[in-house]
Amino acid sequence: MDKIPILKMGHFLLVTIQVDMHDRLAMTLQDDLTSRVVKDRAKGVLIDISSLEIVDSFIGRMLANIAAMTRTLGAESVVVGMQPAVAITIVELGMSLHNVRTALNVDKGMALLIAQLNGLAEDDGNEPNPE
Amino acid sequence: MNPTRSETFQLQTSDDVIRMRQMVRVWMVEMKFGLVDQTKMVTAASELARNALAYGGGGSVCMEALADDGRRGLRLVFEDQGPGIADLELALTDGYTTGGGLGLGLSGSKRLVNEFAIWSAVGEGTRVTIVRWTI
């Protein structure tokens, strides 16, 4: 049974979905990611879907679930790299994904997570780098 | 309209759904559909195949290549012998679901194709036909 690898990069977890997701794989990913967020004390999750040729309502629901679950655990998720044809299709399908943060690519997604992390630090009153 | 090519596949597991998606993609590439057309049709097919599995207890899909007055079309007929749908109008409403999903399978896939027809009888099953044309 194959698994989707989860990489740790600093405060963040990085997942690249490269295979056609079937139901069990999607469920395993939800379980693995939430466990890793807790174990690694991750502050953010980056999900790269640039290799996905379609996002149907099943995969869309999985992405929304992951975003909600990790947010509950204190880690923001960002979905990056959606193909233009996929974006056109999911909007016509009627899927808004409005609870899922998205960014154009890995760089922009990472920038979003870092900005989020810095924002959190300020909210705590802990200036990361006081001049 | 007589199809120029026709094949039927069983839909019994989620792996069958993935194989069917790949098959639809291959046919559409061969028929020279554009990328957005392919993506819409494969997504609609995925929704309907999942419906056949989740609600119909499995079923089949018949794929047919059509040619009509210079345009090419792909017709997919999804059939199951499940419990059927009592209220089709309700089932075609965005957000309506009895299965805990998003309720976009039928209504959403209808928006992704050029032709959409549904037949269902309680206790007999459900048949959904979709067509996407090159022009």
Side-chain angles (χ1 to χ4, degrees):
Chain A
M1 166 75 195
D2 36 312
K3 274 193 171 196
I4 296 176
I6 300 171
L7 307 177
K8 186 171 187 288
M9 275 180 71
H11 293 290
F12 309 125
L13 299 176
L14 182 62
V15 182
T16 302
I17 301 175
Q18 279 173 327
V19 291
D20 239 334
M21 296 256 277
H22 52 69
D23 307 20
R24 277 166 309 163
L25 196 56
M27 292 305 153
T28 309
L29 180 61
Q30 287 184 3
D31 291 351
D32 289 353
L33 253 186
T34 44
S35 303
R36 284 289 298 272
V37 165
V38 173
K39 181 166 159 273
D40 297 337
R41 299 167 192 269
K43 296 288 179 217
V45 178
L46 197 81
I47 304 168
D48 177 15
I49 62 163
S50 54
S51 303
L52 279 192
E53 292 184 334
I54 70 154
V55 171
D56 63 5
S57 63
F58 176 80
I59 298 170
R61 183 156 57 121
M62 183 211 63
L63 293 173
N65 283 349
I66 285 177
M69 289 168 185
T70 60
R71 187 176 298 132
T72 308
L73 294 169
E76 201 64 36
S77 287
V78 182
V79 171
V80 302
M82 186 182 291
Q83 294 182 14
V86 171
I88 292 169
T89 301
I90 65 169
V91 169
E92 277 195 31
L93 186 64
M95 213 166 21
S96 59
L97 288 185
H98 61 274
N99 287 325
V100 180
R101 281 190 166 216
T102 54
L104 199 58
N105 53 37
V106 173
D107 281 347
K108 289 192 182 342
M110 200 54 96
L112 200 64
L113 287 178
I114 290 167
Q116 166 89 14
L117 189 60
N118 291 337
L120 280 179
E122 280 166 28
D123 289 345
D124 293 344
N126 302 323
E127 286 297 325
N129 186 17
E131 294 292 336
Chain B
M1 199 176 318
N2 289 326
T4 54
R5 178 184 177 190
S6 171
E7 265 181 73
T8 301
F9 302 94
Q10 292 303 308
L11 298 170
Q12 302 298 338
T13 66
S14 72
D15 284 344
D16 289 342
V17 176
I18 290 170
R19 270 192 292 275
M20 177 222 57
R21 285 207 301 247
Q22 290 161 348
M23 204 59 85
V24 172
R25 177 77 70 174
V26 168
W27 279 42
M28 293 191 89
V29 169
E30 285 173 7
M31 292 169 75
K32 297 189 167 53
F33 276 94
L35 182 60
V36 173
D37 281 338
Q38 293 171 28
T39 307
K40 287 182 178 179
M41 189 64 162
V42 174
T43 305
S46 185
E47 298 292 336
L48 296 173
R50 283 192 182 286
N51 277 356
L53 268 192
Y55 302 102
S60 65
V61 56
C62 178
M63 293 174 51
E64 296 174 325
L66 309 174
D68 172 48
D69 202 18
R71 61 180 187 163
R72 296 174 306 283
L74 179 63
R75 177 159 64 200
L76 303 178
V77 183
F78 295 86
E79 275 186 309
D80 68 63
Q81 279 77 49
I85 303 168
D87 188 339
L88 277 179
E89 202 181 329
L90 186 61
L92 279 162
T93 309
D94 264 351
Y96 176 79
T97 179
T98 57
L102 297 174
L104 294 172
L106 281 182
S107 54
S109 57
K110 187 177 177 182
R111 283 191 290 270
L112 294 176
V113 297
N114 300 122
E115 292 172 31
F116 180 97
I118 183 165
W119 169 92
S120 188
V122 173
E124 290 181 45
T126 301
R127 181 172 61 238
V128 183
T129 304
I130 56 175
V131 186
R132 182 118 198 143
W133 294 101
T134 46
I135 18 174

